[in-house]
Amino acid sequence: MRFDASLAAFFTPTRPWPIPNPPRKRARQTLRRTAINKRNLTAVKNQLKNVRDALKGGAKDKAKSAAATFFSTIDKAVRPDACHRNAAARHKSRLSSALAKLA
């Protein structure tokens, strides 16, 4: 994680005054949410690459199953605001039209 070094100051006891609990909790929440968002966006990118490869290959059944998996993955990324809903709609629309052209 990138934020470990910058947030390490909150967890080390070398500071001359005690740090109250809310900033510590906020730091923990930030680390957790960053990891979740990164995992979701990585999954979206990988699934999108799989769909594009299937479309280039020309295999209609493989492309349809990859697109269904991608749609599910991107919808899961939209829910916690890891990906914007309009961007997700744009990707889904373009892939749907590419699947229709493949037929």
Side-chain angles (χ1 to χ4, degrees):
M1 299 259 244
R2 299 182 13 195
F3 297 106
D4 286 340
S6 63
L7 294 175
F10 284 115
F11 300 111
T12 55
T14 59
R15 298 180 77 144
W17 62 89
I19 296 176
N21 285 333
R24 290 178 187 220
K25 182 178 179 182
R26 182 63 66 187
R28 287 193 308 268
Q29 288 174 340
T30 299
L31 289 174
R32 182 173 183 273
R33 288 177 184 157
T34 301
I36 290 170
N37 288 341
K38 187 174 181 181
R39 183 174 63 229
N40 285 339
L41 288 178
T42 301
V44 166
K45 289 179 199 175
N46 289 337
Q47 292 295 329
L48 183 58
K49 186 171 66 173
N50 291 342
V51 173
R52 287 179 176 160
D53 289 344
L55 285 172
K56 282 183 185 176
K60 185 178 178 184
D61 295 333
K62 185 177 177 185
K64 274 191 173 184
S65 65
T69 307
F70 171 73
F71 292 162
S72 173
T73 304
I74 201 164
D75 286 338
K76 288 177 186 175
V78 167
R79 201 171 337 122
D81 284 337
C83 178
H84 197 273
R85 61 188 170 95
N86 291 352
R90 183 181 69 242
H91 283 300
K92 289 163 61 172
S93 172
R94 288 181 183 170
L95 287 178
S96 295
S97 64
L99 279 174
K101 289 179 184 177
L102 190 65

mmCIF file with all atom_site columns, all heavy atoms in Angstrom, residues 10-35:
data_model
loop_
_atom_site.group_PDB
_atom_site.id
_atom_site.type_symbol
_atom_site.label_atom_id
_atom_site.label_alt_id
_atom_site.label_comp_id
_atom_site.label_asym_id
_atom_site.label_entity_id
_atom_site.label_seq_id
_atom_site.pdbx_PDB_ins_code
_atom_site.Cartn_x
_atom_site.Cartn_y
_atom_site.Cartn_z
_atom_site.occupancy
_atom_site.B_iso_or_equiv
_atom_site.pdbx_formal_charge
_atom_site.auth_seq_id
_atom_site.auth_comp_id
_atom_site.auth_asym_id
_atom_site.auth_atom_id
_atom_site.pdbx_PDB_model_num
ATOM 1   N N   . PHE A 1 10 ? 0.803   8.089  12.550 1.00 0.00 ? 10 PHE A N   1
ATOM 2   C CA  . PHE A 1 10 ? -0.357  7.996  13.436 1.00 0.00 ? 10 PHE A CA  1
ATOM 3   C C   . PHE A 1 10 ? -0.266  6.808  14.388 1.00 0.00 ? 10 PHE A C   1
ATOM 4   O O   . PHE A 1 10 ? -0.888  6.801  15.432 1.00 0.00 ? 10 PHE A O   1
ATOM 5   C CB  . PHE A 1 10 ? -1.654  7.875  12.630 1.00 0.00 ? 10 PHE A CB  1
ATOM 6   C CG  . PHE A 1 10 ? -2.088  9.173  12.037 1.00 0.00 ? 10 PHE A CG  1
ATOM 7   C CD1 . PHE A 1 10 ? -2.117  9.336  10.670 1.00 0.00 ? 10 PHE A CD1 1
ATOM 8   C CD2 . PHE A 1 10 ? -2.475  10.225 12.842 1.00 0.00 ? 10 PHE A CD2 1
ATOM 9   C CE1 . PHE A 1 10 ? -2.522  10.526 10.108 1.00 0.00 ? 10 PHE A CE1 1
ATOM 10  C CE2 . PHE A 1 10 ? -2.890  11.416 12.293 1.00 0.00 ? 10 PHE A CE2 1
ATOM 11  C CZ  . PHE A 1 10 ? -2.906  11.573 10.927 1.00 0.00 ? 10 PHE A CZ  1
ATOM 12  N N   . PHE A 1 11 ? 0.498   5.812  14.007 1.00 0.00 ? 11 PHE A N   1
ATOM 13  C CA  . PHE A 1 11 ? 0.515   4.584  14.782 1.00 0.00 ? 11 PHE A CA  1
ATOM 14  C C   . PHE A 1 11 ? 1.780   4.408  15.607 1.00 0.00 ? 11 PHE A C   1
ATOM 15  O O   . PHE A 1 11 ? 1.874   3.486  16.394 1.00 0.00 ? 11 PHE A O   1
ATOM 16  C CB  . PHE A 1 11 ? 0.336   3.384  13.844 1.00 0.00 ? 11 PHE A CB  1
ATOM 17  C CG  . PHE A 1 11 ? -0.960  3.456  13.089 1.00 0.00 ? 11 PHE A CG  1
ATOM 18  C CD1 . PHE A 1 11 ? -0.967  3.690  11.722 1.00 0.00 ? 11 PHE A CD1 1
ATOM 19  C CD2 . PHE A 1 11 ? -2.161  3.319  13.740 1.00 0.00 ? 11 PHE A CD2 1
ATOM 20  C CE1 . PHE A 1 11 ? -2.157  3.766  11.032 1.00 0.00 ? 11 PHE A CE1 1
ATOM 21  C CE2 . PHE A 1 11 ? -3.354  3.400  13.053 1.00 0.00 ? 11 PHE A CE2 1
ATOM 22  C CZ  . PHE A 1 11 ? -3.363  3.619  11.699 1.00 0.00 ? 11 PHE A CZ  1
ATOM 23  N N   . THR A 1 12 ? 2.769   5.282  15.435 1.00 0.00 ? 12 THR A N   1
ATOM 24  C CA  . THR A 1 12 ? 4.004   5.149  16.208 1.00 0.00 ? 12 THR A CA  1
ATOM 25  C C   . THR A 1 12 ? 3.918   5.983  17.476 1.00 0.00 ? 12 THR A C   1
ATOM 26  O O   . THR A 1 12 ? 3.380   7.088  17.478 1.00 0.00 ? 12 THR A O   1
ATOM 27  C CB  . THR A 1 12 ? 5.221   5.607  15.380 1.00 0.00 ? 12 THR A CB  1
ATOM 28  O OG1 . THR A 1 12 ? 4.994   6.936  14.930 1.00 0.00 ? 12 THR A OG1 1
ATOM 29  C CG2 . THR A 1 12 ? 5.455   4.693  14.195 1.00 0.00 ? 12 THR A CG2 1
ATOM 30  N N   . PRO A 1 13 ? 4.466   5.490  18.583 1.00 0.00 ? 13 PRO A N   1
ATOM 31  C CA  . PRO A 1 13 ? 4.350   6.207  19.858 1.00 0.00 ? 13 PRO A CA  1
ATOM 32  C C   . PRO A 1 13 ? 5.445   7.241  20.080 1.00 0.00 ? 13 PRO A C   1
ATOM 33  O O   . PRO A 1 13 ? 5.686   7.636  21.206 1.00 0.00 ? 13 PRO A O   1
ATOM 34  C CB  . PRO A 1 13 ? 4.463   5.069  20.876 1.00 0.00 ? 13 PRO A CB  1
ATOM 35  C CG  . PRO A 1 13 ? 5.318   4.071  20.215 1.00 0.00 ? 13 PRO A CG  1
ATOM 36  C CD  . PRO A 1 13 ? 4.990   4.158  18.763 1.00 0.00 ? 13 PRO A CD  1
ATOM 37  N N   . THR A 1 14 ? 6.124   7.721  19.039 1.00 0.00 ? 14 THR A N   1
ATOM 38  C CA  . THR A 1 14 ? 7.231   8.654  19.206 1.00 0.00 ? 14 THR A CA  1
ATOM 39  C C   . THR A 1 14 ? 6.788   10.102 19.262 1.00 0.00 ? 14 THR A C   1
ATOM 40  O O   . THR A 1 14 ? 7.623   10.977 19.450 1.00 0.00 ? 14 THR A O   1
ATOM 41  C CB  . THR A 1 14 ? 8.239   8.495  18.054 1.00 0.00 ? 14 THR A CB  1
ATOM 42  O OG1 . THR A 1 14 ? 7.562   8.735  16.836 1.00 0.00 ? 14 THR A OG1 1
ATOM 43  C CG2 . THR A 1 14 ? 8.841   7.100  18.046 1.00 0.00 ? 14 THR A CG2 1
ATOM 44  N N   . ARG A 1 15 ? 5.519   10.360 19.119 1.00 0.00 ? 15 ARG A N   1
ATOM 45  C CA  . ARG A 1 15 ? 5.049   11.745 19.136 1.00 0.00 ? 15 ARG A CA  1
ATOM 46  C C   . ARG A 1 15 ? 4.959   12.242 20.576 1.00 0.00 ? 15 ARG A C   1
ATOM 47  O O   . ARG A 1 15 ? 4.648   11.478 21.483 1.00 0.00 ? 15 ARG A O   1
ATOM 48  C CB  . ARG A 1 15 ? 3.701   11.828 18.451 1.00 0.00 ? 15 ARG A CB  1
ATOM 49  C CG  . ARG A 1 15 ? 3.809   11.402 16.974 1.00 0.00 ? 15 ARG A CG  1
ATOM 50  C CD  . ARG A 1 15 ? 2.506   11.497 16.341 1.00 0.00 ? 15 ARG A CD  1
ATOM 51  N NE  . ARG A 1 15 ? 2.247   12.917 16.074 1.00 0.00 ? 15 ARG A NE  1
ATOM 52  C CZ  . ARG A 1 15 ? 1.611   13.358 15.027 1.00 0.00 ? 15 ARG A CZ  1
ATOM 53  N NH1 . ARG A 1 15 ? 1.132   12.522 14.170 1.00 0.00 ? 15 ARG A NH1 1
ATOM 54  N NH2 . ARG A 1 15 ? 1.403   14.636 14.838 1.00 0.00 ? 15 ARG A NH2 1
ATOM 55  N N   . PRO A 1 16 ? 5.171   13.524 20.807 1.00 0.00 ? 16 PRO A N   1
ATOM 56  C CA  . PRO A 1 16 ? 5.175   14.036 22.180 1.00 0.00 ? 16 PRO A CA  1
ATOM 57  C C   . PRO A 1 16 ? 3.787   14.168 22.803 1.00 0.00 ? 16 PRO A C   1
ATOM 58  O O   . PRO A 1 16 ? 3.674   14.374 23.996 1.00 0.00 ? 16 PRO A O   1
ATOM 59  C CB  . PRO A 1 16 ? 5.837   15.406 22.037 1.00 0.00 ? 16 PRO A CB  1
ATOM 60  C CG  . PRO A 1 16 ? 5.602   15.795 20.623 1.00 0.00 ? 16 PRO A CG  1
ATOM 61  C CD  . PRO A 1 16 ? 5.569   14.517 19.835 1.00 0.00 ? 16 PRO A CD  1
ATOM 62  N N   . TRP A 1 17 ? 2.724   14.058 22.017 1.00 0.00 ? 17 TRP A N   1
ATOM 63  C CA  . TRP A 1 17 ? 1.375   14.160 22.555 1.00 0.00 ? 17 TRP A CA  1
ATOM 64  C C   . TRP A 1 17 ? 0.540   12.992 22.038 1.00 0.00 ? 17 TRP A C   1
ATOM 65  O O   . TRP A 1 17 ? 0.829   12.434 20.989 1.00 0.00 ? 17 TRP A O   1
ATOM 66  C CB  . TRP A 1 17 ? 0.739   15.493 22.156 1.00 0.00 ? 17 TRP A CB  1
ATOM 67  C CG  . TRP A 1 17 ? 0.580   15.665 20.686 1.00 0.00 ? 17 TRP A CG  1
ATOM 68  C CD1 . TRP A 1 17 ? -0.482  15.286 19.942 1.00 0.00 ? 17 TRP A CD1 1
ATOM 69  C CD2 . TRP A 1 17 ? 1.527   16.220 19.764 1.00 0.00 ? 17 TRP A CD2 1
ATOM 70  N NE1 . TRP A 1 17 ? -0.276  15.569 18.623 1.00 0.00 ? 17 TRP A NE1 1
ATOM 71  C CE2 . TRP A 1 17 ? 0.955   16.147 18.479 1.00 0.00 ? 17 TRP A CE2 1
ATOM 72  C CE3 . TRP A 1 17 ? 2.798   16.777 19.901 1.00 0.00 ? 17 TRP A CE3 1
ATOM 73  C CZ2 . TRP A 1 17 ? 1.605   16.607 17.355 1.00 0.00 ? 17 TRP A CZ2 1
ATOM 74  C CZ3 . TRP A 1 17 ? 3.438   17.226 18.770 1.00 0.00 ? 17 TRP A CZ3 1
ATOM 75  C CH2 . TRP A 1 17 ? 2.849   17.140 17.516 1.00 0.00 ? 17 TRP A CH2 1
ATOM 76  N N   . PRO A 1 18 ? -0.467  12.615 22.755 1.00 0.00 ? 18 PRO A N   1
ATOM 77  C CA  . PRO A 1 18 ? -1.295  11.495 22.287 1.00 0.00 ? 18 PRO A CA  1
ATOM 78  C C   . PRO A 1 18 ? -2.189  11.929 21.128 1.00 0.00 ? 18 PRO A C   1
ATOM 79  O O   . PRO A 1 18 ? -2.653  13.069 21.077 1.00 0.00 ? 18 PRO A O   1
ATOM 80  C CB  . PRO A 1 18 ? -2.130  11.136 23.508 1.00 0.00 ? 18 PRO A CB  1
ATOM 81  C CG  . PRO A 1 18 ? -2.168  12.378 24.311 1.00 0.00 ? 18 PRO A CG  1
ATOM 82  C CD  . PRO A 1 18 ? -0.862  13.091 24.070 1.00 0.00 ? 18 PRO A CD  1
ATOM 83  N N   . ILE A 1 19 ? -2.379  11.023 20.208 1.00 0.00 ? 19 ILE A N   1
ATOM 84  C CA  . ILE A 1 19 ? -3.265  11.286 19.082 1.00 0.00 ? 19 ILE A CA  1
ATOM 85  C C   . ILE A 1 19 ? -4.627  10.706 19.435 1.00 0.00 ? 19 ILE A C   1
ATOM 86  O O   . ILE A 1 19 ? -4.733  9.541  19.819 1.00 0.00 ? 19 ILE A O   1
ATOM 87  C CB  . ILE A 1 19 ? -2.721  10.639 17.802 1.00 0.00 ? 19 ILE A CB  1
ATOM 88  C CG1 . ILE A 1 19 ? -1.395  11.278 17.453 1.00 0.00 ? 19 ILE A CG1 1
ATOM 89  C CG2 . ILE A 1 19 ? -3.702  10.786 16.654 1.00 0.00 ? 19 ILE A CG2 1
ATOM 90  C CD1 . ILE A 1 19 ? -0.724  10.656 16.287 1.00 0.00 ? 19 ILE A CD1 1
ATOM 91  N N   . PRO A 1 20 ? -5.677  11.510 19.331 1.00 0.00 ? 20 PRO A N   1
ATOM 92  C CA  . PRO A 1 20 ? -6.998  10.997 19.661 1.00 0.00 ? 20 PRO A CA  1
ATOM 93  C C   . PRO A 1 20 ? -7.446  9.907  18.695 1.00 0.00 ? 20 PRO A C   1
ATOM 94  O O   . PRO A 1 20 ? -6.894  9.749  17.602 1.00 0.00 ? 20 PRO A O   1
ATOM 95  C CB  . PRO A 1 20 ? -7.899  12.227 19.568 1.00 0.00 ? 20 PRO A CB  1
ATOM 96  C CG  . PRO A 1 20 ? -7.133  13.243 18.830 1.00 0.00 ? 20 PRO A CG  1
ATOM 97  C CD  . PRO A 1 20 ? -5.689  12.923 18.975 1.00 0.00 ? 20 PRO A CD  1
ATOM 98  N N   . ASN A 1 21 ? -8.444  9.169  19.080 1.00 0.00 ? 21 ASN A N   1
ATOM 99  C CA  . ASN A 1 21 ? -8.877  8.018  18.298 1.00 0.00 ? 21 ASN A CA  1
ATOM 100 C C   . ASN A 1 21 ? -9.495  8.352  16.935 1.00 0.00 ? 21 ASN A C   1
ATOM 101 O O   . ASN A 1 21 ? -9.292  7.594  16.007 1.00 0.00 ? 21 ASN A O   1
ATOM 102 C CB  . ASN A 1 21 ? -9.854  7.171  19.110 1.00 0.00 ? 21 ASN A CB  1
ATOM 103 C CG  . ASN A 1 21 ? -9.132  6.374  20.170 1.00 0.00 ? 21 ASN A CG  1
ATOM 104 O OD1 . ASN A 1 21 ? -7.968  6.061  20.019 1.00 0.00 ? 21 ASN A OD1 1
ATOM 105 N ND2 . ASN A 1 21 ? -9.811  6.067  21.258 1.00 0.00 ? 21 ASN A ND2 1
ATOM 106 N N   . PRO A 1 22 ? -10.269 9.434  16.780 1.00 0.00 ? 22 PRO A N   1
ATOM 107 C CA  . PRO A 1 22 ? -10.879 9.665  15.460 1.00 0.00 ? 22 PRO A CA  1
ATOM 108 C C   . PRO A 1 22 ? -9.892  9.751  14.294 1.00 0.00 ? 22 PRO A C   1
ATOM 109 O O   . PRO A 1 22 ? -10.151 9.158  13.239 1.00 0.00 ? 22 PRO A O   1
ATOM 110 C CB  . PRO A 1 22 ? -11.657 10.964 15.650 1.00 0.00 ? 22 PRO A CB  1
ATOM 111 C CG  . PRO A 1 22 ? -12.023 10.949 17.077 1.00 0.00 ? 22 PRO A CG  1
ATOM 112 C CD  . PRO A 1 22 ? -10.839 10.332 17.777 1.00 0.00 ? 22 PRO A CD  1
ATOM 113 N N   . PRO A 1 23 ? -8.749  10.451 14.414 1.00 0.00 ? 23 PRO A N   1
ATOM 114 C CA  . PRO A 1 23 ? -7.825  10.443 13.273 1.00 0.00 ? 23 PRO A CA  1
ATOM 115 C C   . PRO A 1 23 ? -7.242  9.059  12.992 1.00 0.00 ? 23 PRO A C   1
ATOM 116 O O   . PRO A 1 23 ? -7.014  8.712  11.834 1.00 0.00 ? 23 PRO A O   1
ATOM 117 C CB  . PRO A 1 23 ? -6.720  11.414 13.685 1.00 0.00 ? 23 PRO A CB  1
ATOM 118 C CG  . PRO A 1 23 ? -7.306  12.261 14.717 1.00 0.00 ? 23 PRO A CG  1
ATOM 119 C CD  . PRO A 1 23 ? -8.323  11.424 15.405 1.00 0.00 ? 23 PRO A CD  1
ATOM 120 N N   . ARG A 1 24 ? -7.025  8.287  14.027 1.00 0.00 ? 24 ARG A N   1
ATOM 121 C CA  . ARG A 1 24 ? -6.525  6.923  13.818 1.00 0.00 ? 24 ARG A CA  1
ATOM 122 C C   . ARG A 1 24 ? -7.552  6.087  13.073 1.00 0.00 ? 24 ARG A C   1
ATOM 123 O O   . ARG A 1 24 ? -7.227  5.339  12.156 1.00 0.00 ? 24 ARG A O   1
ATOM 124 C CB  . ARG A 1 24 ? -6.200  6.261  15.151 1.00 0.00 ? 24 ARG A CB  1
ATOM 125 C CG  . ARG A 1 24 ? -5.012  6.828  15.839 1.00 0.00 ? 24 ARG A CG  1
ATOM 126 C CD  . ARG A 1 24 ? -4.824  6.140  17.168 1.00 0.00 ? 24 ARG A CD  1
ATOM 127 N NE  . ARG A 1 24 ? -3.770  6.807  17.908 1.00 0.00 ? 24 ARG A NE  1
ATOM 128 C CZ  . ARG A 1 24 ? -2.868  6.177  18.623 1.00 0.00 ? 24 ARG A CZ  1
ATOM 129 N NH1 . ARG A 1 24 ? -2.897  4.871  18.733 1.00 0.00 ? 24 ARG A NH1 1
ATOM 130 N NH2 . ARG A 1 24 ? -1.934  6.840  19.257 1.00 0.00 ? 24 ARG A NH2 1
ATOM 131 N N   . LYS A 1 25 ? -8.805  6.231  13.482 1.00 0.00 ? 25 LYS A N   1
ATOM 132 C CA  . LYS A 1 25 ? -9.863  5.477  12.815 1.00 0.00 ? 25 LYS A CA  1
ATOM 133 C C   . LYS A 1 25 ? -9.991  5.923  11.357 1.00 0.00 ? 25 LYS A C   1
ATOM 134 O O   . LYS A 1 25 ? -10.169 5.097  10.457 1.00 0.00 ? 25 LYS A O   1
ATOM 135 C CB  . LYS A 1 25 ? -11.182 5.674  13.541 1.00 0.00 ? 25 LYS A CB  1
ATOM 136 C CG  . LYS A 1 25 ? -12.316 4.881  12.947 1.00 0.00 ? 25 LYS A CG  1
ATOM 137 C CD  . LYS A 1 25 ? -13.589 5.059  13.734 1.00 0.00 ? 25 LYS A CD  1
ATOM 138 C CE  . LYS A 1 25 ? -14.714 4.278  13.110 1.00 0.00 ? 25 LYS A CE  1
ATOM 139 N NZ  . LYS A 1 25 ? -15.975 4.466  13.828 1.00 0.00 ? 25 LYS A NZ  1
ATOM 140 N N   . ARG A 1 26 ? -9.906  7.217  11.114 1.00 0.00 ? 26 ARG A N   1
ATOM 141 C CA  . ARG A 1 26 ? -10.011 7.728  9.752  1.00 0.00 ? 26 ARG A CA  1
ATOM 142 C C   . ARG A 1 26 ? -8.857  7.197  8.888  1.00 0.00 ? 26 ARG A C   1
ATOM 143 O O   . ARG A 1 26 ? -9.035  6.852  7.725  1.00 0.00 ? 26 ARG A O   1
ATOM 144 C CB  . ARG A 1 26 ? -9.988  9.259  9.770  1.00 0.00 ? 26 ARG A CB  1
ATOM 145 C CG  . ARG A 1 26 ? -10.144 9.900  8.430  1.00 0.00 ? 26 ARG A CG  1
ATOM 146 C CD  . ARG A 1 26 ? -11.463 9.611  7.785  1.00 0.00 ? 26 ARG A CD  1
ATOM 147 N NE  . ARG A 1 26 ? -12.544 10.204 8.529  1.00 0.00 ? 26 ARG A NE  1
ATOM 148 C CZ  . ARG A 1 26 ? -13.821 10.004 8.260  1.00 0.00 ? 26 ARG A CZ  1
ATOM 149 N NH1 . ARG A 1 26 ? -14.158 9.220  7.252  1.00 0.00 ? 26 ARG A NH1 1
ATOM 150 N NH2 . ARG A 1 26 ? -14.767 10.562 8.969  1.00 0.00 ? 26 ARG A NH2 1
ATOM 151 N N   . ALA A 1 27 ? -7.669  7.097  9.478  1.00 0.00 ? 27 ALA A N   1
ATOM 152 C CA  . ALA A 1 27 ? -6.526  6.561  8.735  1.00 0.00 ? 27 ALA A CA  1
ATOM 153 C C   . ALA A 1 27 ? -6.757  5.089  8.389  1.00 0.00 ? 27 ALA A C   1
ATOM 154 O O   . ALA A 1 27 ? -6.469  4.654  7.273  1.00 0.00 ? 27 ALA A O   1
ATOM 155 C CB  . ALA A 1 27 ? -5.253  6.726  9.550  1.00 0.00 ? 27 ALA A CB  1
ATOM 156 N N   . ARG A 1 28 ? -7.285  4.330  9.332  1.00 0.00 ? 28 ARG A N   1
ATOM 157 C CA  . ARG A 1 28 ? -7.583  2.914  9.068  1.00 0.00 ? 28 ARG A CA  1
ATOM 158 C C   . ARG A 1 28 ? -8.639  2.791  7.980  1.00 0.00 ? 28 ARG A C   1
ATOM 159 O O   . ARG A 1 28 ? -8.532  1.938  7.087  1.00 0.00 ? 28 ARG A O   1
ATOM 160 C CB  . ARG A 1 28 ? -8.056  2.216  10.350 1.00 0.00 ? 28 ARG A CB  1
ATOM 161 C CG  . ARG A 1 28 ? -6.984  1.962  11.365 1.00 0.00 ? 28 ARG A CG  1
ATOM 162 C CD  . ARG A 1 28 ? -7.451  1.005  12.441 1.00 0.00 ? 28 ARG A CD  1
ATOM 163 N NE  . ARG A 1 28 ? -8.709  1.375  13.057 1.00 0.00 ? 28 ARG A NE  1
ATOM 164 C CZ  . ARG A 1 28 ? -8.837  2.116  14.158 1.00 0.00 ? 28 ARG A CZ  1
ATOM 165 N NH1 . ARG A 1 28 ? -7.771  2.583  14.768 1.00 0.00 ? 28 ARG A NH1 1
ATOM 166 N NH2 . ARG A 1 28 ? -10.032 2.379  14.654 1.00 0.00 ? 28 ARG A NH2 1
ATOM 167 N N   . GLN A 1 29 ? -9.667  3.628  8.050  1.00 0.00 ? 29 GLN A N   1
ATOM 168 C CA  . GLN A 1 29 ? -10.719 3.582  7.040  1.00 0.00 ? 29 GLN A CA  1
ATOM 169 C C   . GLN A 1 29 ? -10.179 3.928  5.652  1.00 0.00 ? 29 GLN A C   1
ATOM 170 O O   . GLN A 1 29 ? -10.550 3.300  4.656  1.00 0.00 ? 29 GLN A O   1
ATOM 171 C CB  . GLN A 1 29 ? -11.834 4.568  7.403  1.00 0.00 ? 29 GLN A CB  1
ATOM 172 C CG  . GLN A 1 29 ? -12.684 4.145  8.563  1.00 0.00 ? 29 GLN A CG  1
ATOM 173 C CD  . GLN A 1 29 ? -13.673 5.226  8.952  1.00 0.00 ? 29 GLN A CD  1
ATOM 174 O OE1 . GLN A 1 29 ? -13.507 6.393  8.630  1.00 0.00 ? 29 GLN A OE1 1
ATOM 175 N NE2 . GLN A 1 29 ? -14.704 4.827  9.682  1.00 0.00 ? 29 GLN A NE2 1
ATOM 176 N N   . THR A 1 30 ? -9.287  4.908  5.604  1.00 0.00 ? 30 THR A N   1
ATOM 177 C CA  . THR A 1 30 ? -8.709  5.305  4.321  1.00 0.00 ? 30 THR A CA  1
ATOM 178 C C   . THR A 1 30 ? -7.911  4.162  3.715  1.00 0.00 ? 30 THR A C   1
ATOM 179 O O   . THR A 1 30 ? -8.021  3.876  2.516  1.00 0.00 ? 30 THR A O   1
ATOM 180 C CB  . THR A 1 30 ? -7.812  6.541  4.507  1.00 0.00 ? 30 THR A CB  1
ATOM 181 O OG1 . THR A 1 30 ? -8.608  7.611  5.012  1.00 0.00 ? 30 THR A OG1 1
ATOM 182 C CG2 . THR A 1 30 ? -7.175  6.964  3.193  1.00 0.00 ? 30 THR A CG2 1
ATOM 183 N N   . LEU A 1 31 ? -7.112  3.495  4.528  1.00 0.00 ? 31 LEU A N   1
ATOM 184 C CA  . LEU A 1 31 ? -6.328  2.367  4.031  1.00 0.00 ? 31 LEU A CA  1
ATOM 185 C C   . LEU A 1 31 ? -7.229  1.254  3.514  1.00 0.00 ? 31 LEU A C   1
ATOM 186 O O   . LEU A 1 31 ? -6.994  0.693  2.440  1.00 0.00 ? 31 LEU A O   1
ATOM 187 C CB  . LEU A 1 31 ? -5.421  1.823  5.138  1.00 0.00 ? 31 LEU A CB  1
ATOM 188 C CG  . LEU A 1 31 ? -4.244  2.694  5.535  1.00 0.00 ? 31 LEU A CG  1
ATOM 189 C CD1 . LEU A 1 31 ? -3.527  2.088  6.726  1.00 0.00 ? 31 LEU A CD1 1
ATOM 190 C CD2 . LEU A 1 31 ? -3.287  2.847  4.376  1.00 0.00 ? 31 LEU A CD2 1
ATOM 191 N N   . ARG A 1 32 ? -8.268  0.955  4.271  1.00 0.00 ? 32 ARG A N   1
ATOM 192 C CA  . ARG A 1 32 ? -9.179  -0.125 3.875  1.00 0.00 ? 32 ARG A CA  1
ATOM 193 C C   . ARG A 1 32 ? -9.918  0.231  2.583  1.00 0.00 ? 32 ARG A C   1
ATOM 194 O O   . ARG A 1 32 ? -10.003 -0.579 1.660  1.00 0.00 ? 32 ARG A O   1
ATOM 195 C CB  . ARG A 1 32 ? -10.168 -0.391 5.006  1.00 0.00 ? 32 ARG A CB  1
ATOM 196 C CG  . ARG A 1 32 ? -11.119 -1.519 4.715  1.00 0.00 ? 32 ARG A CG  1
ATOM 197 C CD  . ARG A 1 32 ? -11.971 -1.844 5.937  1.00 0.00 ? 32 ARG A CD  1
ATOM 198 N NE  . ARG A 1 32 ? -12.824 -2.964 5.665  1.00 0.00 ? 32 ARG A NE  1
ATOM 199 C CZ  . ARG A 1 32 ? -14.029 -2.874 5.104  1.00 0.00 ? 32 ARG A CZ  1
ATOM 200 N NH1 . ARG A 1 32 ? -14.514 -1.702 4.775  1.00 0.00 ? 32 ARG A NH1 1
ATOM 201 N NH2 . ARG A 1 32 ? -14.752 -3.950 4.882  1.00 0.00 ? 32 ARG A NH2 1
ATOM 202 N N   . ARG A 1 33 ? -10.437 1.445  2.504  1.00 0.00 ? 33 ARG A N   1
ATOM 203 C CA  . ARG A 1 33 ? -11.189 1.852  1.316  1.00 0.00 ? 33 ARG A CA  1
ATOM 204 C C   . ARG A 1 33 ? -10.302 1.948  0.084  1.00 0.00 ? 33 ARG A C   1
ATOM 205 O O   . ARG A 1 33 ? -10.724 1.617  -1.028 1.00 0.00 ? 33 ARG A O   1
ATOM 206 C CB  . ARG A 1 33 ? -11.872 3.197  1.572  1.00 0.00 ? 33 ARG A CB  1
ATOM 207 C CG  . ARG A 1 33 ? -13.028 3.081  2.528  1.00 0.00 ? 33 ARG A CG  1
ATOM 208 C CD  . ARG A 1 33 ? -13.633 4.415  2.833  1.00 0.00 ? 33 ARG A CD  1
ATOM 209 N NE  . ARG A 1 33 ? -14.676 4.272  3.838  1.00 0.00 ? 33 ARG A NE  1
ATOM 210 C CZ  . ARG A 1 33 ? -15.081 5.245  4.626  1.00 0.00 ? 33 ARG A CZ  1
ATOM 211 N NH1 . ARG A 1 33 ? -14.542 6.445  4.526  1.00 0.00 ? 33 ARG A NH1 1
ATOM 212 N NH2 . ARG A 1 33 ? -16.031 5.034  5.507  1.00 0.00 ? 33 ARG A NH2 1
ATOM 213 N N   . THR A 1 34 ? -9.065  2.400  0.280  1.00 0.00 ? 34 THR A N   1
ATOM 214 C CA  . THR A 1 34 ? -8.132  2.473  -0.840 1.00 0.00 ? 34 THR A CA  1
ATOM 215 C C   . THR A 1 34 ? -7.850  1.082  -1.387 1.00 0.00 ? 34 THR A C   1
ATOM 216 O O   . THR A 1 34 ? -7.820  0.877  -2.606 1.00 0.00 ? 34 THR A O   1
ATOM 217 C CB  . THR A 1 34 ? -6.816  3.141  -0.400 1.00 0.00 ? 34 THR A CB  1
ATOM 218 O OG1 . THR A 1 34 ? -7.120  4.454  0.071  1.00 0.00 ? 34 THR A OG1 1
ATOM 219 C CG2 . THR A 1 34 ? -5.831  3.231  -1.543 1.00 0.00 ? 34 THR A CG2 1
ATOM 220 N N   . ALA A 1 35 ? -7.661  0.120  -0.498 1.00 0.00 ? 35 ALA A N   1
ATOM 221 C CA  . ALA A 1 35 ? -7.399  -1.254 -0.937 1.00 0.00 ? 35 ALA A CA  1
ATOM 222 C C   . ALA A 1 35 ? -8.597  -1.830 -1.683 1.00 0.00 ? 35 ALA A C   1
ATOM 223 O O   . ALA A 1 35 ? -8.449  -2.474 -2.728 1.00 0.00 ? 35 ALA A O   1
ATOM 224 C CB  . ALA A 1 35 ? -7.051  -2.127 0.259  1.00 0.00 ? 35 ALA A CB  1
#
